[in-house]
Every structure is written in C-alpha cells, then in structure tokens.
Amino acid sequence: MEDNREEYSAVETQSTDGNSQQSQFLQTDRDLEDQQNARASLREKFLRLLFASCNKPACFSMHERTLVQGIFRGTDIDMENLQVSELQTPMGVLSEALLRSSDVLSFTVDFEA
C-alpha cells in the first residue's frame, strides 16, 4: 500500500528584506498520529481503571464538606452520573443511588477490599 501523506516540518516565509526564514513549525502527520495514540492509550487506561473500580467500596467527597460511602457500581457513558449501592449518608443508608458527578469533588476506591 502506498503512503500518500505529505509531511511538513516548517513553513518558510519571506522577510521584508527578501531573506527566507523559518517562522512557524507545523505538526507532521506522524506527530498527530503519536498524539492520537497517546490519547487512545490514556483513554484505555482510564476505562480499565473504571472497570477495576466496579463493585469496590468507595468514599465520595461532596460539596459542603460532606463525605459519603458506598459500593461503586459504575457510571454512564458521559460520566455524568455514578451508580452507588449501600450509600451511607449523614441522613441514612440508601440501597441504590445515582450521584451526579457535578456534585462529587473526588472519590477514592479501596482496591484491597
């Protein structure tokens, strides 16, 4: 298969006195491909972490300095909601709950449990 991609490393411009100068660097196709591969690798690691976190005890730090605990079950595709079972809140225990990710400042998962 023939590779017809053009690679550019720099753009030369003419200065006012007629001399050629390198003024801008453009990303090559290889640089863009490397960046895309790096993003794909990070996304895969993130998804593996989410998968490994499922069905593990977690502690959620919420607004107003509220801490709640429960069993992390998963998230929706956009990570807008987190599903938690046996959620222990200051007002009681909920057997199942959805936490809006906008309400969660951070959460930790106990992988050893």
Side-chain angles (χ1 to χ4, degrees):
M1 182 166 70
E2 187 176 323
D3 189 2
N4 291 328
R5 293 182 299 179
E6 294 182 29
E7 292 191 19
Y8 300 97
S9 59
V11 173
E12 291 190 5
T13 59
Q14 294 291 328
S15 65
T16 55
D17 61 1
N19 293 329
S20 178
Q21 298 177 343
Q22 284 188 340
S23 64
Q24 293 179 321
F25 287 93
L26 297 178
Q27 292 181 327
T28 64
D29 287 344
R30 184 165 313 282
D31 290 338
L32 293 174
E33 186 176 321
D34 289 346
Q35 288 179 1
Q36 185 177 17
N37 288 338
R39 283 192 302 271
S41 176
L42 289 172
R43 177 73 175 163
E44 180 182 357
K45 289 176 183 179
F46 173 72
L47 293 173
R48 287 182 185 275
L49 176 69
L50 278 180
F51 183 73
S53 301
C54 288
N55 302 316
K56 302 284 186 193
C59 182
F60 300 87
S61 175
M62 313 284 282
H63 291 284
E64 303 293 327
R65 296 183 181 165
T66 304
L67 291 176
V68 296
Q69 297 178 0
I71 307 297
F72 178 73
R73 297 292 185 197
T75 181
D76 60 7
I77 195 165
D78 297 323
M79 276 214 56
E80 291 180 2
N81 298 298
L82 307 171
Q83 182 183 359
V84 182
S85 297
E86 302 171 28
L87 183 65
Q88 300 170 16
T89 72
M91 298 196 54
V93 178
L94 300 172
S95 61
E96 296 292 329
L98 282 179
L99 301 178
R100 295 180 299 195
S101 60
S102 61
D103 292 337
V104 177
L105 299 175
S106 66
F107 71 99
T108 58
V109 177
D110 183 4
F111 289 104
E112 296 179 4

